[in-house]
């Protein structure tokens, strides 16, 4: 007997991540993670899969081992493991098995690492805090002040940063001192070795306006140290790098748009010192870069025979793409109908492994033969759970508005009967330049398998539909994108199986903004769940960790000169119009959309006698629905479902 996907999916699902193919392509190392059922603690270990036989084993026995990487030659595997103070360090282990040994003992742990071509050194990205600890530390429990000297003194999920920055270090594998390679009032991340091991390329933000602009550049430094050289003149932001086989050029995922963000729309460029960047792709493809600092660099390869292989997104779907490094058409090798977030290739670039989520699967590893495009699923860590809890069905379609095509996804309950009448929840994505993909989203699955239709629209402003479509939301939050959402809802609500008297709306982050904006501009919804919103753009400018770097681009300039526009585009300005019951869900440690945004909105609604409830999630950052403690993630889903059941049931 099958049952709906419940809120406990947050702690019952297992996950695979960090795939790493051995150089000869015969073995795959990856991270397998899960939550302990007694106390909800996160656990992870490195798995080793023999691709010829299909046999796999737990390769490590630590409590939180992750990010495996084979050394060139394949004899050794490096990975990250927390030390006694819960700081991740690099550990090494023979690829054939044996005892692991620690390589590093970095004071603030290791963010990322990479093997040198001769496997004798490892480059490390680690945190550096210039604050010198006092000679006489205060007694335990004594409160201490913290001094702020710059705008970007904190970062959501990472928390307090102060004057700390990420920098690069070199650690010899066979012993010896670890040498710091870079320094300065900026972050140096995503290092990659040149083919001959003499240099390192990396991503950094060293511009004079780095404290107020989220822009990055590509630099190259000698592996023995020295002054880095900038290679990305002409680009405003860079997200990932790879070397050409001859070591004379760089491949960069970047953007030449000063107001753009490489996270949301980027292009592939060839960089050569002293020459303008050469663009290889159009905006019909968005190369995948992940979340800088919070996640490792994506797999990106310039092959010996002149091909560039990368993960990219197009119209809410992910593909494994190939494009000639000399220029030419970009074509998919595999993918579609999924969202892919990790890539590894063997040394010959004849095979790849991707991590992909699909509408019916939260995530598995897939082997791709790059010559034929043949794909084979390698893992099935949630097979039993999904058999007992069938996912919702997906219908994709487009609606037209003012000459634009708006792609929509409608999630339908298992056993959907078009003769019945169903309540419907409009789900709104974040960003505003995010997008809904052909992937498994827990909140949509929980609602849909509990009997709701869930409509997920990619309105203007969404990424993966071209740069012009994405940038059209700038300085127009709640404008045409709101009209796009309502137009799509009108079309779906007219279907005979939709109960238009039982409509709900949910959104998180920018989706929370749009949800609070929506209930201030229409009375058609009977319930709203508002997750981590920004409701007051004027106060958001000075309280969010990206209020300046992101907000000034999105909202139209510094808040000192844009106050009327900021207020006009703030949901709190329309709070008197709200008649919809509102549930606010917000993490107390959210630096991206600070909890004061929900506090203001709650007080305003409550003061006016509106129906509102406010749930605070202790010690939770903005990303807690994805990265937080399973108890908090389950609570988010449970309270969302209960609120809609209460008002739409």
């Amino acid at each position: 007997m099958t049952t709906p996907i419940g809120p406990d999916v947050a702690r019952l699902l297992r996950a695979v991540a960090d795939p790493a193919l051995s150089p000869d392509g015969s073995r795959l190392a990856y991270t397998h993670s899960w939550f302990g059922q007694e106390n909800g603690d996160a656990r992870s270990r490195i798995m080793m899969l023999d691709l010829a036989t299909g046999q796999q084993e737990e390769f490590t026995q630590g409590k939180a081992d992750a990010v495996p990487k084979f050394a060139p030659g394949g004899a050794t595997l490096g990975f990250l493991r927390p030390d006694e103070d819960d700081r991740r360090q690099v550990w090494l282990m023979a690829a054939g098995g044996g005892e692991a040994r620690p390589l590093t003992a970095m004071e603030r742990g290791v963010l990322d690492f990479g093997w040198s071509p001769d496997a004798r050194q490892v480059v490390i990205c680690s945190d550096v805090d210039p604050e010198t600890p006092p000679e006489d530390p205060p007694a335990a429990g004594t409160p201490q002040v913290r001094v702020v000297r710059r705008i970007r003194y904190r970062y959501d999920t990472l928390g307090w940063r102060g004057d700390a920055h990420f920098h690069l270090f070199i650690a010899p594998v066979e012993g010896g001192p670890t040498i710091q390679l870079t320094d300065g009032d900026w972050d140096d991340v995503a290092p990659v070795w040149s083919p001959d091991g003499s240099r390192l390329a990396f991503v950094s933000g060293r511009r004079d306006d780095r404290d107020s602009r989220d822009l990055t550049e590509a630099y190259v430094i000698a592996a023995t140290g020295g002054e880095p050289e900038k290679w990305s003149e002409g680009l405003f932001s860079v997200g990932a790098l790879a070397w050409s086989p001859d070591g004379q050029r760089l491949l960069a995922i970047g953007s030449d748009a000063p107001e753009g963000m490489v996270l949301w729309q980027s292009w592939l460029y060839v960089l050569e010192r002293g020459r303008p960047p050469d663009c290889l792709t159009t905006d019909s493809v968005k190369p995948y870069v992940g979340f800088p600092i919070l996640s490792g660099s994506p797999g990106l390869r310039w092959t010996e025979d002149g091909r560039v292989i990368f993960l990219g997104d197009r119209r809410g779907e992910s593909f494994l793409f190939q494009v000639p490094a000399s220029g030419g058409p970009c074509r998919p090798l595999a993918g579609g109908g999924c969202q892919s977030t990790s890539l590894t290739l063997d040394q010959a670039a004849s095979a790849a492994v991707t991590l992909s989520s699909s509408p019916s699967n939260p995530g598995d590893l897939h082997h791709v033969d790059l010559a034929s495009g043949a794909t084979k699923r390698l893992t099935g860590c949630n097979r039993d759970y999904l058999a007992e809890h069938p996912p919702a069905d997906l219908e994709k379609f487009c609606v037209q508005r003012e000459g634009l095509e708006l792609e929509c996804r409608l999630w339908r309950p298992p056993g959907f009967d078009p003769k019945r009448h169903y309540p419907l929840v409009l789900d709104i994505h974040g960003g505003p330049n995010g997008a809904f993909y052909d992937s498994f989203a827990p909140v949509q699955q929980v609602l849909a398998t509990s009997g709701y239709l869930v409509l997920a629209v990619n309105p203007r402003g969404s990424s993966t539909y071209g740069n012009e479509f994405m940038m059209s939301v700038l300085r127009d939050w709640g404008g045409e994108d709101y009209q796009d959402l309502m137009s799509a809802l009108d079309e779906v609500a007219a279907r005979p199986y939709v109960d238009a008297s039982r409509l709900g709306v949910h959104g998180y982050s920018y989706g929370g903004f749009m949800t609070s904006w929506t209930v201030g501009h229409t009375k058609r919804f009977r319930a709203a769940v508002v997750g981590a919103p920004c409701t007051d753009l004027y106060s958001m400018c000075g309280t969010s960790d990206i209020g300046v770097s992101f907000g000034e681009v999105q909202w139209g300039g510094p808040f000192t000169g844009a106050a009327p526009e900021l207020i006009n585009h703030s949901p709190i300005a329309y709070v008197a119009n709200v008649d919809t019951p509102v549930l606010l869900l917000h993490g107390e440690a959210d630096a991206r959309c600070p909890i004061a945004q929900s506090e203001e909105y709650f007080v305003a609604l409550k003061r006016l006698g509106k129906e509102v409830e406010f749930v605070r999630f202790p010690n939770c950052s903005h990303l807690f629905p994805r990265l937080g403690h399973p108890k908090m993630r389950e609570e988010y889903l449970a309270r969302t479902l209960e609120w809609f059941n209460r008002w739409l049931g």
Side-chain angles (χ1 to χ4, degrees):
M1 182 175 179
T2 61
T3 57
I5 294 174
D8 59 358
V9 68
R11 57 181 170 81
L12 295 181
L13 286 182
R14 292 174 171 252
V16 293
D18 312 320
L21 272 172
S22 62
D24 64 2
S26 65
R27 289 175 295 174
L28 176 73
Y30 65 92
T31 303
H32 176 213
S33 60
W34 69 97
F35 291 110
Q37 295 306 303
E38 292 185 3
N39 55 14
D41 61 324
R43 305 290 300 274
S44 63
R45 288 179 178 165
I46 306 300
M47 304 293 294
M48 188 70 75
L49 172 63
D50 186 310
L51 292 173
T53 65
Q55 296 297 312
Q56 62 179 321
E57 61 176 343
E58 283 191 345
F59 192 69
T60 66
Q61 298 299 313
K63 292 184 178 180
D65 299 338
V67 196
K69 296 184 180 183
F70 282 97
T76 306
L77 188 76
F79 61 94
L80 296 182
R81 171 182 286 178
D83 60 18
E84 294 179 352
D85 296 315
D86 204 33
R87 301 167 303 192
R88 297 209 301 182
Q89 306 290 351
V90 179
W91 287 62
L92 304 180
M93 188 171 176
E99 291 294 323
R101 67 176 179 91
L103 175 66
T104 65
M106 304 301 292
E107 183 179 352
R108 296 172 67 89
V110 173
L111 176 72
D112 192 13
F113 73 100
W115 289 95
S116 66
D118 62 7
R120 294 180 178 179
Q121 300 180 96
V122 170
V123 62
I124 296 160
C125 183
S126 183
D127 212 0
V128 177
D129 191 342
E131 288 289 332
T132 303
E135 294 183 3
D136 298 317
T142 303
Q144 299 294 303
V145 301
R146 294 197 289 189
V147 180
V148 174
R149 301 182 180 89
R150 59 193 183 102
I151 292 174
R152 301 172 72 174
Y153 65 92
R154 58 194 173 126
Y155 195 92
D156 187 72
T157 303
L158 296 180
W160 171 264
R161 301 293 295 140
D163 292 323
H165 293 282
F166 293 105
H167 286 294
L168 306 183
F169 297 76
I170 299 293
V173 170
E174 297 303 328
T178 296
I179 306 300
Q180 185 170 343
L181 198 62
T182 65
D183 196 9
D185 182 29
W186 45 71
D187 292 316
D188 297 324
V189 296
V192 287
W193 291 88
S194 64
D196 64 1
S198 65
R199 294 169 296 166
L200 285 148
F202 61 94
V203 175
S204 184
R206 303 187 174 210
R207 294 162 47 104
D208 291 340
D209 57 355
R210 58 185 173 274
D211 200 28
S212 59
R213 302 293 303 276
D214 191 19
L215 303 175
T216 51
E217 308 94 48
Y219 289 87
V220 173
I221 189 172
T224 54
E227 187 65 26
E229 295 180 311
K230 183 178 177 181
W231 277 41
S232 58
E233 198 65 49
L235 299 183
F236 282 92
S237 53
V238 174
L241 299 166
W243 286 91
S244 63
D246 62 5
Q248 299 303 307
R249 291 164 291 175
L250 284 173
L251 185 67
I253 297 177
S255 171
D256 63 357
E259 72 283 4
M261 290 182 66
V262 71
L263 174 65
W264 301 124
Q265 178 60 59
S266 54
W267 292 259
L268 276 177
Y269 294 90
V270 172
L271 307 181
E272 189 170 357
R273 205 176 71 181
R275 300 186 62 180
D278 182 18
C279 189
L280 297 181
T281 57
T282 69
D283 67 348
S284 63
V285 172
K286 181 179 84 72
Y288 175 76
V289 292
F291 283 90
I293 295 183
L294 295 180
S295 61
S297 298
L300 182 64
R301 178 73 65 83
W302 187 329
T303 69
E304 293 283 352
D305 58 359
R307 297 173 294 146
V308 172
I309 299 172
F310 67 101
L311 282 180
D313 303 330
R314 184 170 64 191
R315 297 185 61 82
E317 299 181 65
S318 296
F319 299 85
L320 184 59
F321 284 103
Q322 173 179 292
V323 63
S326 58
C330 179
R331 67 180 184 90
L333 300 174
C338 65
Q339 182 178 16
S340 299
T341 54
S342 194
L343 167 67
T344 178
L345 296 100
D346 62 2
Q347 187 172 6
S350 61
V353 171
T354 62
L355 170 60
S356 302
S357 167
S358 70
S360 60
N361 193 315
D364 269 316
L365 299 174
H366 300 261
H367 185 275
V368 182
D369 183 301
L370 295 184
S372 66
T375 302
K376 176 184 178 182
R377 191 171 76 173
L378 299 175
T379 57
C381 59
N382 294 299
R383 186 179 290 112
D384 292 342
Y385 178 88
L386 296 172
E388 296 174 2
H389 306 79
D393 298 323
L394 173 63
E395 176 196 353
K396 288 175 64 175
F397 58 95
C398 292
V399 300
Q400 301 287 330
R401 179 174 178 264
E402 296 184 348
L404 289 179
E405 189 175 74
L406 308 173
E407 191 170 62
C408 305
R409 289 163 173 80
L410 183 66
W411 298 94
R412 301 179 299 201
F416 170 74
D417 182 355
K419 296 180 181 179
R420 291 181 54 190
H421 287 79
Y422 294 87
L424 181 144
V425 174
L426 172 65
D427 194 22
I428 307 175
H429 68 64
N433 305 129
F436 286 123
Y437 283 73
D438 291 356
S439 64
F440 187 102
V443 69
Q444 296 170 354
Q445 292 290 342
V446 167
L447 291 172
T449 61
S450 295
Y452 293 90
L453 295 167
V454 180
L455 176 61
V457 184
N458 282 336
R460 71 190 72 194
S462 303
S463 60
T464 76
Y465 297 88
N467 195 55
E468 182 179 353
F469 187 86
M470 184 193 75
M471 299 295 278
S472 62
V473 76
L474 295 188
R475 295 174 289 279
D476 190 39
W477 283 26
E480 292 300 319
D481 53 349
Y482 167 72
Q483 299 298 337
D484 290 345
L485 291 169
M486 294 303 102
S487 179
L489 179 63
D490 288 341
E491 184 162 321
V492 176
R495 297 182 180 185
Y497 49 79
V498 176
D499 186 345
S501 68
R502 291 190 293 161
L503 299 180
V505 57
H506 164 269
Y508 190 86
S509 190
Y510 180 78
F513 163 89
M514 187 58 74
T515 300
S516 54
W517 177 272
T518 295
V519 296
H521 287 78
T522 180
K523 302 182 186 301
R524 70 191 302 180
F525 294 98
R526 284 178 54 180
V529 177
V530 181
C534 36
T535 62
D536 181 350
L537 301 186
Y538 189 79
S539 66
M540 179 101 167
C541 289
T543 57
S544 167
D545 67 335
I546 58 171
V548 173
S549 60
F550 170 81
E552 291 185 3
V553 172
Q554 291 282 334
W555 306 327
F559 70 98
T560 51
E565 284 301 305
L566 293 174
I567 293 171
N568 288 339
H569 284 274
S570 294
I572 202 164
Y574 308 94
V575 70
N577 300 333
V578 176
D579 285 340
T580 304
V582 172
L583 173 66
L584 290 159
L585 306 174
H586 215 132
E588 292 186 338
D590 192 332
R592 189 64 32 95
C593 297
I595 196 169
Q597 296 289 307
S598 281
E599 291 171 336
E600 291 183 47
Y601 199 65
F602 170 76
V603 170
L605 288 171
K606 201 69 176 175
R607 185 66 182 84
L608 293 171
K610 309 292 186 177
E611 184 71 47
V612 60
E613 191 172 296
F614 181 21
V615 182
R616 303 168 67 100
F617 293 77
N619 302 315
C620 286
S621 73
H622 193 64
L623 296 181
F624 88 89
R626 281 184 285 177
L627 303 178
H629 192 282
K631 170 63 175 173
M632 297 294 95
R633 294 157 68 174
E634 184 174 354
E635 284 274 2
Y636 187 99
L637 296 171
R639 291 179 180 276
T640 297
L641 178 60
E642 189 279 331
W643 190 258
F644 286 128
N645 285 345
R646 184 192 309 182
W647 296 102
L648 306 182

